[in-house]
Amino acid sequence: MNCNFNRFIPAAALALVLSLPALAQPAAPAAAAPAPAVTTKVGIINIQVAIVNSNEGQRDFETLQKKFDPKRAELENLNKEIEELQKKFNTQGDKLNDEARGELLKQIDARKKTLQRNYEDANTDIQAQQNEIANRIGQKLVEVLDKYAKDNNFTLVLDVSGQASPVLWAAASVDITKPVVDAYNTQSGVAAPVRPATAPKSGVAPKSGTAPASAPAAAPRSSV
């Protein structure tokens, strides 16, 4: 979604030189007019935060998370089964004969492999769908950004969402993430999601602008 905003920089005017007929007594050349001062207006935007904080982004990412709730519950239940079998082996393993102990280990190993495979499949699936949502909203968001930058006479806009961003510091006044999100919300017509007013647990306020979780459940634990 990187966008080259060099097109916002006005092209330099081309000077057209007209040839004049030679005169016996050429007049002194007129003094050149001073070049007009060029005002550079630079802004920054966090595209990733803008996508997630947009009304459309909040709606679609929350819908995606709910879609994967059954899969998340399935993985958690399978993980609990493994923990119970592992607990049984740790507490009763020395009392079982070789055959029973071997069978129990096979069950644990088979379930762990199933958990790992299901987790990876679900994780790949949800990441692909997250990327589809981000790309779809991002393309439309860049169009809104294009108009906003032109309307507000920006010369350059830098995306600071990536870790490789060249921007080390910028004043808050040049961050146009929120006004661009507001403009996008107006254009999209998607209403802000309504959430129940619940007090945050442990006195910690919920964070805003965070990206959605990429995994549908906790990663399976390594074998003991």
Side-chain angles (χ1 to χ4, degrees), residues 4-10 38-43 149-150 152-158:
N4 185 355
F5 291 97
N6 289 334
R7 63 179 181 277
F8 296 159
I9 303 176
V38 178
T39 302
T40 301
K41 188 175 181 181
V42 178
K150 290 176 179 176
N152 291 273
N153 301 316
F154 279 92
T155 308
L156 179 68
V157 177
L158 299 173

Side-chain angles (χ1 to χ4, degrees), residues 101-204:
R101 186 165 53 251
E103 182 61 28
L104 182 56
L105 287 174
K106 287 181 180 179
Q107 292 180 23
I108 295 173
D109 184 62
R111 281 173 170 76
K112 283 184 177 181
K113 290 180 179 178
T114 299
L115 175 62
Q116 183 67 35
R117 181 172 60 253
N118 291 353
Y119 170 81
E120 291 175 352
D121 290 345
N123 196 44
T124 299
D125 192 7
I126 194 172
Q127 285 184 346
Q129 295 189 46
Q130 284 180 350
N131 289 338
E132 187 279 326
I133 294 173
N135 289 333
R136 170 168 46 81
I137 297 176
Q139 291 177 3
K140 295 184 291 185
L141 186 66
V142 168
E143 295 177 0
V144 174
L145 172 60
D146 181 279
K147 183 178 185 304
Y148 180 89
K150 290 176 179 176
D151 291 346
N152 291 273
N153 301 316
F154 279 92
T155 308
L156 179 68
V157 177
L158 299 173
D159 179 16
V160 296
S161 59
Q163 294 182 349
S165 170
V167 179
L168 299 179
W169 181 90
S173 59
V174 303
D175 188 347
I176 61 174
T177 302
K178 186 180 185 306
V180 170
V181 170
D182 292 341
Y184 182 84
N185 290 338
T186 299
Q187 178 171 302
S188 69
V190 178
V194 179
R195 299 186 179 88
T198 56
K201 298 180 180 180
S202 304
V204 180

